[in-house]
Amino acid sequence: MFNQIKRYLLAFVAVNLIAPMHTMAQELTNADEIIMQANLVSYYAGDDGSAQARMIIVDARGNKQMRQFTILRKDIEDLGDQNMLVFFSRPTDVKGTVFHVTKKVKSEDDRWLYLPALDLVKRISAGDKRTSFVGSHFYYEDVSGRNPREDNYTLLAEQSTGDFYVVKGEPKDPTTVEFAYMVAKIDKITSLPMEVTYFDKNDNKIRKMEVLKTKDVQGFTTVIHSKITQFSDNSYTEMQFRKVKYDAGLPDSIFAERSLRNPPKAWLK
């Protein structure tokens, strides 16, 4: 049922793409609705999904590090709770590390990190959700998605005249984040956020996420190459995805603590 709704939404925007210009006037004007659709297509495609990912981390001096991992994700409810596992396979010093998220819409997410060298499952506190994800410029919260309920949104109508909605988000509790506000450029056709820039209280850019490439996968427009830049030193991380699959039939049983120490190999190929 949820997939039917998703496909309807995608079909709806696809029809808009080829529709006469007078139908294009039916643009969204409610910032919360725009963000809801962006959240849906960004984090809830299919009932579940898997992908292999590679991150290239580039520091201020141009030095590069690589991280390679597989992501498994299953929705409990569309736009609602969700389970996610991230299994690291390369390089050697992070191989076997597992990141586990139970995403909760009505409360703080539960996040755990399994460290194989210590055979330790470490809980990531809510206060650490906006810290570096395994040494990259992505935050833990970037990987599983920021809860839209944590921000107030305003559609910047004067800047939304082209191919993108421009939405400003301001945290309801500024003490929990490092930014004063963010500005998202959201594709009017796909509803995907193509660029999100974070600003400090002096209106200085501190961080930017940008989508570099998308691909149609089983009818879902999917980000397969993105980049996060840190403006303080122009360091950045690029993330690329391959072998993306949706509706793979992932069983609920694999999203358990035992999978941290005993990964479900059949689903990591």
Short mmCIF file of all heavy atoms in Angstrom, two decimals, residues 1-14 40 45-47 217-220 246-247:
data_model
loop_
_atom_site.label_atom_id
_atom_site.label_comp_id
_atom_site.label_asym_id
_atom_site.label_seq_id
_atom_site.Cartn_x
_atom_site.Cartn_y
_atom_site.Cartn_z
N MET A 1 0.83 -1.20 0.00
CA MET A 1 0.00 0.00 0.00
C MET A 1 0.87 1.26 0.00
O MET A 1 0.66 2.17 -0.76
CB MET A 1 -0.91 -0.02 1.24
CG MET A 1 -1.79 1.23 1.35
SD MET A 1 -2.98 1.34 -0.01
CE MET A 1 -3.78 2.88 0.41
N PHE A 2 1.89 1.27 0.90
CA PHE A 2 2.74 2.45 0.96
C PHE A 2 3.51 2.63 -0.34
O PHE A 2 3.71 3.74 -0.81
CB PHE A 2 3.70 2.34 2.14
CG PHE A 2 3.03 2.50 3.47
CD1 PHE A 2 3.18 1.56 4.46
CD2 PHE A 2 2.22 3.61 3.72
CE1 PHE A 2 2.56 1.71 5.68
CE2 PHE A 2 1.60 3.75 4.93
CZ PHE A 2 1.77 2.80 5.92
N ASN A 3 3.97 1.50 -0.90
CA ASN A 3 4.68 1.61 -2.17
C ASN A 3 3.78 2.16 -3.26
O ASN A 3 4.22 2.90 -4.14
CB ASN A 3 5.22 0.25 -2.59
CG ASN A 3 6.61 0.04 -2.03
OD1 ASN A 3 7.21 0.98 -1.55
ND2 ASN A 3 7.08 -1.18 -2.08
N GLN A 4 2.50 1.76 -3.22
CA GLN A 4 1.57 2.30 -4.21
C GLN A 4 1.47 3.81 -4.08
O GLN A 4 1.42 4.54 -5.07
CB GLN A 4 0.20 1.65 -4.04
CG GLN A 4 0.19 0.16 -4.41
CD GLN A 4 -1.16 -0.47 -4.15
OE1 GLN A 4 -1.99 0.07 -3.44
NE2 GLN A 4 -1.38 -1.64 -4.74
N ILE A 5 1.44 4.28 -2.83
CA ILE A 5 1.38 5.73 -2.60
C ILE A 5 2.64 6.39 -3.13
O ILE A 5 2.59 7.42 -3.81
CB ILE A 5 1.20 6.01 -1.11
CG1 ILE A 5 -0.16 5.49 -0.64
CG2 ILE A 5 1.30 7.51 -0.83
CD1 ILE A 5 -0.36 5.56 0.86
N LYS A 6 3.80 5.79 -2.83
CA LYS A 6 5.05 6.37 -3.28
C LYS A 6 5.10 6.44 -4.80
O LYS A 6 5.47 7.44 -5.39
CB LYS A 6 6.23 5.52 -2.79
CG LYS A 6 6.45 5.59 -1.31
CD LYS A 6 7.54 4.61 -0.96
CE LYS A 6 7.64 4.43 0.53
NZ LYS A 6 8.57 3.38 0.88
N ARG A 7 4.70 5.33 -5.43
CA ARG A 7 4.75 5.30 -6.89
C ARG A 7 3.76 6.29 -7.48
O ARG A 7 3.99 6.89 -8.52
CB ARG A 7 4.48 3.88 -7.41
CG ARG A 7 5.61 2.93 -7.05
CD ARG A 7 5.39 1.54 -7.59
NE ARG A 7 6.34 0.61 -7.03
CZ ARG A 7 7.62 0.53 -7.38
NH1 ARG A 7 8.08 1.34 -8.30
NH2 ARG A 7 8.41 -0.34 -6.81
N TYR A 8 2.64 6.48 -6.80
CA TYR A 8 1.68 7.48 -7.25
C TYR A 8 2.32 8.87 -7.20
O TYR A 8 2.20 9.65 -8.16
CB TYR A 8 0.43 7.45 -6.38
CG TYR A 8 -0.48 8.63 -6.64
CD1 TYR A 8 -1.30 8.66 -7.76
CD2 TYR A 8 -0.46 9.73 -5.80
CE1 TYR A 8 -2.10 9.75 -8.03
CE2 TYR A 8 -1.25 10.82 -6.05
CZ TYR A 8 -2.08 10.83 -7.16
OH TYR A 8 -2.85 11.92 -7.41
N LEU A 9 3.03 9.14 -6.08
CA LEU A 9 3.65 10.46 -5.95
C LEU A 9 4.69 10.66 -7.04
O LEU A 9 4.78 11.73 -7.65
CB LEU A 9 4.31 10.59 -4.58
CG LEU A 9 3.36 10.76 -3.40
CD1 LEU A 9 4.13 10.65 -2.09
CD2 LEU A 9 2.64 12.09 -3.49
N LEU A 10 5.49 9.59 -7.30
CA LEU A 10 6.50 9.71 -8.33
C LEU A 10 5.87 9.86 -9.70
O LEU A 10 6.32 10.63 -10.54
CB LEU A 10 7.42 8.48 -8.30
CG LEU A 10 8.30 8.40 -7.06
CD1 LEU A 10 9.00 7.05 -7.00
CD2 LEU A 10 9.33 9.51 -7.06
N ALA A 11 4.79 9.10 -9.93
CA ALA A 11 4.08 9.23 -11.19
C ALA A 11 3.51 10.64 -11.33
O ALA A 11 3.54 11.23 -12.41
CB ALA A 11 2.96 8.20 -11.28
N PHE A 12 3.03 11.18 -10.22
CA PHE A 12 2.45 12.52 -10.22
C PHE A 12 3.49 13.55 -10.65
O PHE A 12 3.23 14.39 -11.52
CB PHE A 12 1.93 12.84 -8.82
CG PHE A 12 1.46 14.25 -8.67
CD1 PHE A 12 0.22 14.63 -9.16
CD2 PHE A 12 2.25 15.20 -8.04
CE1 PHE A 12 -0.21 15.94 -9.01
CE2 PHE A 12 1.82 16.50 -7.90
CZ PHE A 12 0.58 16.87 -8.38
N VAL A 13 4.68 13.45 -10.06
CA VAL A 13 5.70 14.44 -10.43
C VAL A 13 6.19 14.19 -11.84
O VAL A 13 6.55 15.13 -12.55
CB VAL A 13 6.88 14.43 -9.43
CG1 VAL A 13 6.41 14.89 -8.06
CG2 VAL A 13 7.55 13.08 -9.35
N ALA A 14 6.21 12.91 -12.28
CA ALA A 14 6.63 12.63 -13.65
C ALA A 14 5.65 13.22 -14.65
O ALA A 14 6.03 13.78 -15.68
CB ALA A 14 6.74 11.12 -13.86
N LEU A 40 10.25 11.79 2.53
CA LEU A 40 9.73 10.53 2.00
C LEU A 40 10.64 9.97 0.91
O LEU A 40 11.02 8.79 0.94
CB LEU A 40 8.32 10.74 1.46
CG LEU A 40 7.64 9.52 0.83
CD1 LEU A 40 7.30 8.48 1.89
CD2 LEU A 40 6.37 9.94 0.07
N ALA A 45 12.27 5.23 0.31
CA ALA A 45 11.97 4.59 -0.98
C ALA A 45 11.83 3.08 -0.79
O ALA A 45 12.68 2.43 -0.18
CB ALA A 45 13.10 4.89 -1.97
N GLY A 46 10.75 2.51 -1.31
CA GLY A 46 10.49 1.09 -1.10
C GLY A 46 10.16 0.81 0.36
O GLY A 46 10.23 1.68 1.22
N ASP A 47 9.80 -0.45 0.64
CA ASP A 47 9.59 -0.84 2.03
C ASP A 47 10.91 -1.13 2.73
O ASP A 47 11.00 -1.08 3.96
CB ASP A 47 8.70 -2.09 2.10
CG ASP A 47 7.24 -1.76 1.76
OD1 ASP A 47 6.87 -0.58 1.90
OD2 ASP A 47 6.51 -2.67 1.36
N VAL A 217 16.16 4.06 -9.95
CA VAL A 217 16.32 2.67 -9.51
C VAL A 217 14.93 2.14 -9.15
O VAL A 217 14.31 2.61 -8.20
CB VAL A 217 17.25 2.57 -8.28
CG1 VAL A 217 17.38 1.10 -7.85
CG2 VAL A 217 18.62 3.15 -8.59
N GLN A 218 14.45 1.23 -9.94
CA GLN A 218 13.13 0.60 -9.71
C GLN A 218 12.02 1.65 -9.58
O GLN A 218 11.10 1.49 -8.78
CB GLN A 218 13.17 -0.29 -8.46
CG GLN A 218 14.14 -1.46 -8.56
CD GLN A 218 14.29 -2.20 -7.23
OE1 GLN A 218 15.40 -2.39 -6.75
NE2 GLN A 218 13.18 -2.60 -6.63
N GLY A 219 12.16 2.73 -10.34
CA GLY A 219 11.12 3.76 -10.32
C GLY A 219 11.33 4.84 -9.28
O GLY A 219 10.53 5.79 -9.22
N PHE A 220 12.37 4.72 -8.47
CA PHE A 220 12.66 5.72 -7.44
C PHE A 220 13.90 6.53 -7.85
O PHE A 220 14.97 5.94 -8.09
CB PHE A 220 12.92 5.07 -6.08
CG PHE A 220 11.76 4.27 -5.55
CD1 PHE A 220 11.77 2.89 -5.60
CD2 PHE A 220 10.65 4.91 -5.01
CE1 PHE A 220 10.71 2.14 -5.11
CE2 PHE A 220 9.58 4.17 -4.51
CZ PHE A 220 9.60 2.79 -4.56
N TYR A 246 15.70 -1.95 -3.92
CA TYR A 246 14.56 -1.66 -3.05
C TYR A 246 13.65 -2.90 -3.00
O TYR A 246 13.63 -3.71 -3.92
CB TYR A 246 13.78 -0.45 -3.57
CG TYR A 246 14.58 0.83 -3.56
CD1 TYR A 246 14.86 1.49 -4.76
CD2 TYR A 246 15.05 1.37 -2.38
CE1 TYR A 246 15.60 2.67 -4.77
CE2 TYR A 246 15.80 2.54 -2.37
CZ TYR A 246 16.07 3.19 -3.57
OH TYR A 246 16.80 4.34 -3.57
N ASP A 247 12.86 -2.96 -1.93
CA ASP A 247 11.90 -4.05 -1.75
C ASP A 247 12.58 -5.42 -1.91
O ASP A 247 12.11 -6.30 -2.62
CB ASP A 247 10.74 -3.91 -2.75
CG ASP A 247 9.95 -2.63 -2.49
OD1 ASP A 247 9.74 -2.28 -1.31
OD2 ASP A 247 9.55 -1.99 -3.48
#
